[in-house]
Amino acid sequence: MGEQPIYTTRAHVFQIDPSTKKNWVPASKQAVTVSYFYDSTRNSYRIISVDGTKVIINSTITANMMFTKTSQKFGQWADSRANTVFGLGFTSEQQLSKFAEKFQEVKEAAKMAREKSQDKVDIRSTRIDLNNDTFDFKQDSGPASPGSKQASSFNGTDDEKIFKVGPEMLLMKTEHESAAEQSSSSRKWEAELQSLREKNSILVEDLHQSSTKMDVWKKQVSACKEESDALRQKIAQLEYQYQEAGQEQQRNAELSVRVQQLEAELRDKEQEVENLRKQAEIIPQLMAECDNITSKLQVTESRKVELESRMDVLHVDVEDSRQKQSGVKAELKKLTEVLDAKIEELHDFRHGLSRLGADN
């Protein structure tokens, strides 16, 4: 089956600065996918993260690793095989807690897998020892004769054995030693051949796993490309919205300038209305002066008529002057009414300007 993802999240990836061993160096420009992978063939767990085509995390989890929360949204762990310290920055505290819980679960699973593998290795080594003991026993008991076996069992030291046996026994012993050496060398070659076969099988498995990983990475790369395309489209939309916002701000600025111009025009109109009011207040004085001048003219004319006409016509002239004065008063009254109408129109014009300013 190869490696399969069992948990995936997104985070900002950091690595410790190898020169200072204190500062964090960002391994990705943005949040990337971080996944737990389980290898069923090796019974191992790994944390893998890919940024584009670059592998930024490839950490095999062991039972001795420890994930530490250094803040509410940041955690780290040390990888002795990679000789570095990885750090992950999450967008929320819940994501960090979930990742830490998963790390603890994977760590316990790796610990149990290690214990099982050690038990299997112990059992296998015990079987190999037993097989080697059986093989040595056959090699020792096969070629020897009953007499030599009894001699090796009951006669004292090796020197005493060599002294008591004859030349034929020494020659037989030399042949037995050469055969034992050949059998030991053959066993070594068989062991090396077996180890090479095991290495070859491991390499084949690694090749299969690497091809599987390449497929997974290709899928992740295609997903990252799709995500980057979506982000580019979103950036284009945001830029278009930003341009529209700038145009709207420009329109608002133009409207504010127009409002200021209208307010200035309104102030000018109010000043004109105030001037007209002052002029309207002066009109009664002008009318009074006009009345005085008219009366003086009438007196002057009457005097002239009195001097030029007879005394009898004086009363008629006075009556005529009175009638003329009444006509002038009527005309002045009409003029006053016209002025009042103009003043009312000015008031209406001012109210209209006030409403126009309020609407703006």
Side-chain angles (χ1 to χ4, degrees), residues 168-182:
E168 292 85 2
M169 294 300 294
L170 291 175
L171 180 60
M172 189 180 295
K173 187 175 182 181
T174 304
E175 291 176 355
H176 286 197
E177 288 176 355
S178 62
E181 288 177 358
Q182 289 179 359

Side-chain angles (χ1 to χ4, degrees), residues 91-159:
T91 57
S92 64
E93 187 176 357
Q94 290 79 9
Q95 290 182 351
L96 175 60
S97 301
K98 192 176 292 184
F99 188 88
E101 292 175 359
K102 200 66 181 177
F103 192 95
Q104 188 65 28
E105 292 177 4
V106 170
K107 176 183 173 182
E108 294 296 331
K111 186 177 180 181
M112 293 175 63
R114 180 182 176 184
E115 291 176 353
K116 289 180 180 179
S117 63
Q118 286 180 353
D119 293 338
K120 289 180 180 179
V121 169
D122 292 338
I123 295 169
R124 184 178 178 183
S125 61
T126 304
R127 289 177 179 176
I128 291 171
D129 292 338
L130 291 172
N131 292 331
N132 289 334
D133 292 340
T134 305
F135 181 77
D136 292 339
F137 175 76
K138 290 178 180 179
Q139 291 292 331
D140 291 339
S141 60
S145 61
S148 62
K149 185 177 179 180
Q150 291 176 359
S152 61
S153 300
F154 298 106
N155 296 333
T157 62
D158 293 337
D159 295 335

